[in-house]
Amino acid sequence: MLPDDFLDRFHQLCPDAQKDTALASFAEPKSVSFRVNQLQAEPEPVVAALVDQGVDPEPVVWAQDQDIAAFTCGPEQREALTHSAEAESGDIYIQSLSSMLAPALLTPASDDWVLDLAAAPGGKTILLAEMMGNQGQISAVEPVRNRFFRLKSNLERCGVDNTRVYMKDGRAVGRLKPESFDRVLLDAPCSSESRFRADDPGSTFHWNLRKVKECARKQQRLILSAFDALKPGGTLCYCTCSYSPEENEQVVSHLLKKRDAALLPTELPIDNCSPGITQWQDKSLPEELAHTRRVWPTADMDGFYLALIAKAA
Ligand code: SAM
């Protein structure tokens, strides 16, 4: 069972065209997705080795079109995949498809200086490093000690060597490194509503509206720090795996109020998405928020929110 408050808000937010699929996805087993880590492996032999182990990967066309070697498998193959030699060696990385959208949207160049402001366990950092051909430089920030060490070991296992890791509070980075980065990713700590499962009370146990507002306060400070760390002419991708407007459009709206930031159109290569909202309860939000995107969950994909933001040159 999902919390009534959550369901009530979800019904208000999710467009009718997406609703049946989205609601069903909270109850149905999800497929499992992974990427071949092209920093150290070629997709063809890796997929062949997995097929030999009884795994049946289906290529994800929109991702492959962007040179991301992404595949999905049936939910019953999760165990085999998780315990495969390929996962252990870092030749594959198990990652939700929606998580792959953020690096794909940020499109770092190979000589960029990139900041990943909330980085552990590192799935998006590893994809950014792959897109940069292990060139340029990534600074990956994670303040929570055990998660910091998990990030570090994931980067090492996956052959990432253009990244320095920092155990720091992301809220301080904009002040410590102002106007320093060409690209910033803020995959903000959030209420994780997209991980809710109807058959797992543990997935919703800590959720309530007070917690959503607490996350929003931290996100508002993080997004200002992320923006301050951007060079003029740079681009910031803000994302969460929450549906709550307080953690999404209202955080971006806070940035628009406090800084000279401009929203860029967020073009996604998928159909299960809709524009960001411009009205929530009794509050009107800036019209430009329609440039941001809400990703709705399906049997293959988790929910997500993405905004692409520019700092004037
Ligand atoms: N980007 C990661 C990935 O793709 O693997 C997932 C990031 S997760 C959504 C958010 C992370 O933000 C968590 O690891 C959390 O510990 C971290 N976090 C929490 N408070 C933070 C803060 N003040 N500054 C930076 N990161 C923070």
Side-chain angles (χ1 to χ4, degrees), residues 1 197-206:
M1 282 284 284
R197 305 293 308 150
D199 59 356
D200 175 11
S203 68
T204 59
F205 186 74
H206 296 287

Side-chain angles (χ1 to χ4, degrees), residues 197-263:
R197 305 293 308 150
D199 59 356
D200 175 11
S203 68
T204 59
F205 186 74
H206 296 287
W207 185 91
N208 56 47
L209 289 178
R210 216 183 59 219
K211 169 91 182 163
V212 166
K213 288 184 179 144
E214 192 183 303
C215 289
R217 278 193 294 277
K218 189 185 240 191
Q219 290 154 350
Q220 288 187 0
R221 292 187 56 195
L222 281 168
I223 202 170
L224 295 182
S225 174
F227 189 79
D228 291 346
L230 258 190
K231 283 182 191 167
T235 315
L236 160 67
C237 175
Y238 175 78
C239 55
T240 76
C241 60
S242 165
Y243 304 104
S244 286
E246 293 84 347
E247 300 183 66
N248 296 326
E249 288 89 347
Q250 289 185 352
V251 173
V252 178
S253 170
H254 177 75
L255 172 69
L256 296 176
K257 230 181 276 160
K258 297 279 179 188
R259 299 287 189 272
D260 189 12
L263 286 178

